[in-house]
Amino acid sequence: MAQDWWKSAVVYQIYPRSFMDSNGDGIGDLQGILGKLDYLQDLGVDVLWLSPIYDSPNDDNGYDIRDYKKIMSEFGTMEDFEQLLLQMHRRGLKLVMDLVVNHTSDEHPWFVESRSSIDSPYRNYYLWRKGKQGREPNNWLSYFSGPAWEYDSTTQEYYLHLFSRKQPDLNWDNPTVRQQVYDLMKFWLDKGIDGFRMDVINHISKVPGLPDGSHPNERGYAWGGEFFANGPRVHEYLQEMNHQVLSRYDVMTVGETGGVSPSDARLYAGFNRQELNMVFQFEHMNIDAGPGGKWDLKPWKLTDLKQVLSRWQQELHGTAWNSLYFGNHDQPRSVSRFGDDGLYRVESAKMLATCLMLQQGTPYIYQGEEIGMTNVDFPSIKDYRDVEIMNLWQEQVEQGGADPAKVLHAIHVKGRDNARTPMQWSADAHAAFTVGEPWIKLNPNYPQVNVAQAVADENSVYHYYKRLIRLRKQHPVLVDARYDLILPNHQEIYAYTRTMETEQWLVVCNFFAGQPEFVLPSGDFYQTTELVLSNYPVLDSAEVDRFNLRPYECRVYRRVQHV
Ligand code: TEU
Ligand code: CA
C-alpha cells in the first residue's frame, strides 16, 4: 500500500534555545543541533521539527519574527542552516520548520512601516482600529494576560495582538499579506525543507467587525475566540496556500489549532481537503484546567483522557489524520503531568510513550521526553523567563494582589518554562548543555536524569523509546489499523486494541501506582498471542486475558488469527 511518508514518521521537536549550545554563550544553536544528529539518528526518529530559528527580538523566544528570511544571530548563520539541512538529509532525517504567520514581531519592517502613519501602504497589513469611549476597540483578551489591543500614540489607534504586545496580528484578509506569506514559505521550501508546523494557524481569519466576546469577566474583558478561532475564511486561505505553495512540494504540514473539534479537524486535515496533513488538537491538554482556564488547576481524570483521545481516534479514522502528543514547548513535562516524576518516573514515562505511540496518527516526541525529563519548581519568579509567566505574575501578583505562593505553585505545575530548561546531556556542569552561563537555569535533577545515563542503561526510558519506534517501523499495520477503546469506565487502566483483518494489537496501560486487575472482555478468538513489549519483566506463563498490573505497568500483545 502506498503511504504518505508523514503517516509512518516519528517527529522529534527541538526547542533550539534549550537543546545544545556549541559556542558557550549559554544559548542553544544550530551547530549544537548538528553535533547531536548522531544521537537523534540513533533514537530512530524521522523528522526534526525546529521551533522558530528566524531573526527575532525574542519577546516570545522566536515566536515573534522580525525577519523571516534570516537566521537568528544567536542560533548561527544561513550557512549553518544549510549545513544542518544537508547533514540531516544525508542521514535520512527530514526537517520541518515552524511557520509563525498569524503575527509578526512589532520590530518587523512591515509593522514599523504600518505604525508610522495611517496612510502607509503597510497600514492594512495589520489590524488597526479606533478606540471606543476611551477603551479598546473590543473586549478581547490576549492569551498572555491583559487586553488584546495596544494603543499606539503615533496614529492614536489600537492594534490587535492575540499574544504579547510585541506580536501584532497580521491581517490575512489583505491579499498582499497572503502573497508575502506564500513568498517566504517558498523561500524555505526551495532550500529543500520538508514541511511546516504552522503556529496558531486556525486564528488567521477574524470575523469582520471584530465583535465583542461573550461572557465578559468582572472587568469587561472576554476571550473572544468565537470570533477568531476557526474563522469564516480560514479554509479558503489554507486552500489557497495549498494550491499556490504546498501542493508543489512533497512536504508535511501540521497546523497548531487550539479549540478545534474532530469535525473542524476533518476540514483542516481531511484526506481530500487540500489544506493540511494534520492538526494539533488541544482537548487533552485541557482536562486539568478548571473554568478559569490554564492556571485554574484541576486534577485530571483518566476517564476524561481516554474519552477525549478515543473520540479523536474514532472520528478521524479513515477521513483525516491525527497527531499524537503529550508534551511540547508550551506544556508541562508529560511525565510530571500524566505520570509520576518521583518513584515511578522511568516506568511511567515508558507507559505514557506506549499508550500514545501505538495509537493511530503521527507521534511527536518533545526533546527530553525520551529520557523522562521532569517539571522544575524554581523557588523564585526571578528564575523564570517566559513572557506568558512574566505577564501572569505582573497581572495577578503585582497588580492584582494575588497570593504569590499560590501563583508560583500554578507556574510550577503549568508554566511553559517546565519544558524549556536545557536538555540534560550528562552529569557534568550545566548538564553539558553549555560551558557558559545558561539563559535559563537547569533542572537540578540533571545529575540523575541525563542522556549519558540513559544511553548507558539498557533499561532506560531512552532505550524503550528506541524499541517503540522500531516497533512502529517493523509493523506498518500500526499505521492504519482501527482503534477501539476497551474498559472505557475503568478508573486506572487505559486499554485499547488496534485491529486490521486477522491481526490485533492489545495495549494495556496502568496509569497509577495501584495494582488493578485487567480482565480482557471476551470477543474474537486469536490462536497466537505474543507479548511484544512491556516496561516490566513478564513471565512466559503469564495469562493474557486476566492479570494484575504493577504500578504504571504497560503491556503490548500481538494476536493473530490463522485462517
Ligand atoms: O501557541 C499558541 C497557543 O495557543 C498558546 O496560547 C498556547 O496554548 C499557550 O502557549 C499555552 O500556555 C503558539 C506557540 O506554540 C507558542 O509558543 C507561542 O507563544 C504562541 O503560539 C504565539 O506565537
Ligand atoms: Ca550558542
Side-chain angles (χ1 to χ4, degrees):
M1 195 188 320
Q3 277 287 1
D4 297 308
W5 59 265
W6 41 267
K7 286 188 180 163
S8 50
V10 176
V11 183
Y12 185 94
Q13 183 191 352
I14 291 183
Y15 196 68
R17 203 174 183 78
S18 303
F19 191 64
M20 180 65 202
D21 173 24
S22 71
N23 64 351
D25 66 354
I27 299 173
D29 47 51
L30 299 184
Q31 287 294 335
I33 298 171
L34 196 66
K36 295 298 182 186
L37 292 183
D38 282 345
Y39 168 74
L40 296 165
Q41 196 177 13
D42 189 52
L43 179 60
V45 297
D46 307 287
V47 179
L48 304 184
W49 149 29
L50 304 186
S51 276
I53 58 171
Y54 316 94
D55 175 54
S56 164
N58 283 308
D59 184 56
D60 188 17
N61 290 352
Y63 283 90
D64 49 321
I65 297 169
R66 184 167 49 200
D67 185 342
Y68 288 94
K69 297 184 181 174
K70 196 175 161 229
I71 299 291
M72 188 191 300
S73 53
E74 294 96 316
F75 289 174
T77 62
M78 193 59 87
E79 287 67 49
D80 295 322
F81 172 80
E82 276 158 8
Q83 190 191 355
L84 177 64
L85 184 61
L86 183 73
Q87 290 302 328
M88 283 180 58
H89 283 169
R90 284 202 177 143
R91 290 158 192 267
L93 288 165
K94 294 187 188 284
L95 191 155
V96 163
M97 301 269 280
D98 218 308
L99 182 72
V100 189
V101 288
N102 173 69
H103 44 268
T104 69
S105 164
D106 67 339
E107 298 182 32
H108 192 292
W110 300 336
F111 189 77
V112 173
E113 265 294 322
S114 185
R115 85 183 332 166
S116 68
S117 131
I118 289 187
D119 306 319
S120 160
Y122 290 89
R123 187 66 170 180
N124 197 30
Y125 269 47
Y126 296 87
L127 292 145
W128 291 96
R129 295 289 184 277
K130 291 194 185 358
K132 276 190 185 152
Q133 288 115 34
R135 274 184 75 138
E136 295 82 11
N138 73 16
N139 71 359
W140 296 356
L141 279 168
S142 146
Y143 278 97
F144 294 159
S145 301
W149 294 94
E150 182 74 4
Y151 181 72
D152 197 55
S153 56
T154 312
T155 55
Q156 303 182 351
E157 287 187 352
Y158 292 80
Y159 65 86
L160 179 72
H161 61 90
L162 293 179
F163 294 90
S164 95
R165 57 173 65 87
K166 285 183 68 64
Q167 293 169 301
D169 280 55
L170 282 165
N171 174 18
W172 273 70
D173 296 336
N174 177 348
T176 316
V177 167
R178 303 204 296 277
Q179 288 308 316
Q180 292 272 22
V181 170
Y182 306 155
D183 170 74
L184 72 91
M185 290 173 71
K186 285 184 211 149
F187 174 84
W188 291 100
L189 291 165
D190 289 339
K191 286 189 182 288
I193 67 159
D194 304 289
F196 287 113
R197 174 270 187 187
M198 302 187 188
D199 195 65
V200 286
I201 199 67
N202 66 329
H203 287 35
I204 57 177
S205 166
K206 281 84 177 172
V207 169
L210 310 177
D212 277 336
S214 41
H215 313 298
N217 65 18
E218 62 290 347
R219 287 154 63 212
Y221 294 102
W223 175 50
E226 70 257 52
F227 301 116
F228 58 72
N230 313 312
R233 296 179 72 184
V234 66
H235 297 293
E236 173 194 334
Y237 297 156
L238 287 175
Q239 287 182 8
E240 180 184 83
M241 175 198 281
N242 187 294
H243 178 71
Q244 294 195 24
V245 186
L246 298 170
S247 60
R248 294 160 198 233
Y249 302 85
D250 177 24
V251 292
M252 69 163 261
T253 51
V254 50
E256 189 210 22
T257 53
V260 289
S261 65
S263 57
D264 296 323
R266 284 196 296 263
L267 299 178
Y268 288 106
F271 290 146
N272 299 312
R273 290 277 303 173
Q274 263 107 48
E275 293 190 21
L276 304 173
N277 295 143
M278 59 191 120
V279 297
F280 289 127
Q281 60 87 13
F282 276 67
E283 282 191 70
H284 63 310
M285 294 287 112
N286 298 331
I287 60 173
D288 55 359
K294 160 172 181 168
W295 305 106
D296 179 10
L297 307 181
K298 178 181 119 180
W300 61 276
K301 292 211 302 270
L302 183 62
T303 42
D304 288 343
L305 183 70
K306 294 200 285 191
Q307 193 245 321
V308 167
L309 293 182
S310 301
R311 191 161 68 95
W312 279 86
Q313 289 287 302
Q314 226 81 57
E315 293 200 22
L316 298 201
H317 182 71
T319 56
W321 195 245
N322 274 297
S323 65
L324 308 171
Y325 74 99
F326 276 151
N328 61 38
H329 66 293
D330 292 332
Q331 301 294 337
R333 288 284 176 180
S334 60
V335 70
S336 301
R337 190 180 196 178
F338 299 118
D340 172 358
D341 63 9
L343 188 56
Y344 297 110
R345 185 183 66 84
V346 170
E347 289 80 0
S348 66
K350 292 174 182 175
M351 181 278 292
L352 288 170
T354 307
C355 178
L356 189 76
M357 288 183 55
L358 296 177
Q359 298 196 14
Q360 185 172 42
T362 300
Y364 289 73
I365 302 169
Y366 179 67
Q367 69 180 42
E369 204 172 14
E370 80 282 13
I371 57 166
M373 278 178 64
T374 67
N375 279 356
V376 71
D377 48 358
F378 290 138
S380 160
I381 188 65
K382 294 202 179 66
D383 297 322
Y384 287 90
R385 298 287 174 269
D386 175 18
V387 60
E388 184 187 37
I389 295 176
M390 303 290 99
N391 289 0
L392 176 82
W393 189 265
Q394 210 201 0
E395 183 182 80
Q396 307 252 307
V397 178
E398 284 167 15
Q399 291 160 11
D403 174 5
K406 203 174 159 215
V407 177
L408 196 60
H409 174 66
I411 293 169
H412 290 163
V413 176
K414 282 292 193 65
R416 305 197 297 182
D417 281 339
N418 280 310
R420 300 175 182 186
T421 62
M423 182 71 183
Q424 296 166 196
W425 294 106
S426 79
D428 296 343
H430 305 312
F433 161 71
T434 180
V435 295
E437 263 317 298
W439 70 275
I440 185 170
K441 288 208 294 189
L442 284 113
N443 188 316
N445 68 7
Y446 74 81
Q448 294 81 47
V449 180
N450 61 68
V451 168
Q453 182 283 327
V455 169
D457 174 4
E458 266 301 309
N459 291 316
S460 67
V461 179
Y462 168 79
H463 283 288
Y464 191 90
Y465 264 90
K466 280 182 71 165
R467 259 174 261 150
L468 258 179
I469 294 168
R470 220 182 304 131
L471 202 62
R472 287 179 52 98
K473 301 269 127 92
Q474 286 164 348
H475 298 277
V477 59
L478 289 169
V479 175
D480 282 308
R482 192 184 77 233
Y483 166 103
D484 291 288
L485 182 68
I486 53 181
L487 310 177
N489 300 319
H490 202 289
Q491 310 279 321
E492 295 163 87
I493 297 174
Y494 188 157
Y496 63 87
T497 55
R498 299 287 310 282
T499 312
M500 172 91 110
E501 293 162 10
T502 54
E503 180 170 346
Q504 180 173 81
W505 289 64
L506 169 66
V507 180
V508 183
C509 296
N510 178 9
F511 263 72
F512 298 96
Q515 307 208 7
E517 183 181 45
F518 171 76
V519 182
L520 183 66
S522 55
D524 295 335
F525 179 73
Y526 293 89
Q527 283 98 336
T528 51
T529 295
E530 155 204 14
L531 178 78
V532 187
L533 192 64
S534 172
N535 59 350
Y536 279 85
V538 178
L539 294 176
D540 283 342
S541 57
E543 298 262 1
V544 185
D545 32 1
R546 180 182 282 268
F547 55 88
N548 278 86
L549 286 153
R550 287 157 283 187
Y552 296 96
E553 180 171 358
C554 60
R555 294 190 194 181
V556 179
Y557 289 100
R558 176 167 174 265
R559 315 198 292 160
V560 181
Q561 277 172 359
H562 304 284
V563 276

